[in-house]
Amino acid sequence: MSSSPSGEFGQPGAVVVPGAAISARIIELAKDIKESCRPDQLPLVLIGVLKGSAFFTTDLGRVLTIPVEFDFVSVRSYGRSTESSGVVELVKDVSNPIAGRHVLMVEDIIDTGLTTDFLYTHIARHGPASLRLVTLLNKPARRQREVRIDFCGFDIPDQFVVGYGLDYAEQWRNLPDVRVLEGVVAS
Ligand code: IMP
Ligand code: MG
């Protein structure tokens, strides 16, 4: 992997989840999600959480062979840090009304659970008929809020990871694999 422009963004280290394993798991998740939806619950509204889950949301949507709609919300909980600030801010809300709709939130990773907890409350206020959650990655070690996960790609150890949508200071999202970030002191 080439080094970052100024060297302040760390370096991707060991692969935690290879891109090929992500693709294979997404096909399994799509099958589980499809099987869990009754015809009267369709189209399913996928709400991706920007920016981290943009890759996962579109890749999952592509292999879901049921009618789906896409929307995105954007939240901020991390600055240039590997620790959650604990403060979650809504940056962008859904674009279309979801009242009475069946919604699946699509998360990249659940760490402390603060972001997901905030989003469950926020999206529930829009009055969906149902609200479920799929996350690609789950780091259960540092949970501060218990959140219900309906579909989970991979449980991973308590390490800061980058790639496949996940960033450190906006870098490394476009790596095909999920890898441990090295060379940055946790702050
Ligand atoms: P939580 O609120 O602590 O659960 O963290 C949720 C958000 O923090 C995720 O949606 C990510 O944007 C970010 N995050 C948590 N862990 C990691 C990581 O290991 N790498 C990159 N981003 C992370
Ligand atoms: Mg981030």
Side-chain angles (χ1 to χ4, degrees):
M1 190 65 224
S2 61
S3 59
S4 61
S6 63
E8 62 187 296
F9 303 113
Q11 285 295 325
V15 172
V16 178
V17 191
I22 295 173
S23 304
R25 184 74 182 116
I26 286 176
I27 289 168
E28 293 174 351
L29 289 170
K31 188 168 170 284
D32 291 348
I33 292 164
K34 178 184 178 176
E35 284 173 5
S36 74
C37 290
R38 297 192 316 260
D40 63 306
Q41 295 175 323
L42 301 175
L44 182 65
V45 183
L46 303 184
I47 300 185
V49 184
L50 295 173
K51 304 171 198 169
S53 80
F55 293 58
F56 179 42
T57 306
T58 53
D59 284 349
L60 178 67
R62 248 191 285 260
V63 295
L64 262 173
T65 55
I66 50 174
V68 292
E69 295 177 19
F70 292 89
D71 209 331
F72 290 93
V73 292
S74 179
V75 292
R76 199 170 17 222
S77 61
Y78 274 73
R80 181 176 293 228
S81 162
T82 56
E83 296 283 325
S84 173
S85 65
V87 178
V88 186
E89 257 182 283
L90 187 75
V91 178
K92 180 209 167 296
D93 205 348
V94 285
S95 306
N96 295 316
I98 51 167
R101 306 296 306 277
H102 292 275
V103 169
L104 181 66
M105 274 199 292
V106 185
E107 278 275 22
D108 51 354
I109 187 165
I110 301 178
D111 182 15
T112 62
L114 292 168
T115 305
T116 308
D117 187 55
F118 169 89
L119 280 173
Y120 260 125
T121 306
H122 175 76
I123 293 183
R125 276 200 210 110
H126 284 289
S130 68
L131 177 55
R132 294 185 299 164
L133 173 74
V134 57
T135 186
L136 179 67
L137 303 173
N138 180 33
K139 278 202 288 196
R142 304 196 323 147
R143 198 70 95 246
Q144 293 178 29
R145 293 277 192 293
E146 273 324 307
V147 289
R148 194 192 70 246
I149 302 175
D150 297 286
F151 308 96
C152 177
F154 302 91
D155 280 349
I156 61 166
D158 183 14
Q159 292 172 313
F160 195 85
V161 293
V162 292
Y164 195 74
L166 293 155
D167 74 307
Y168 174 67
E170 296 300 330
Q171 305 301 305
W172 314 119
R173 293 192 196 276
N174 58 336
L175 298 176
D177 308 310
V178 171
R179 299 168 64 164
V180 177
L181 182 71
E182 290 177 350
V184 170
V185 180
S187 57

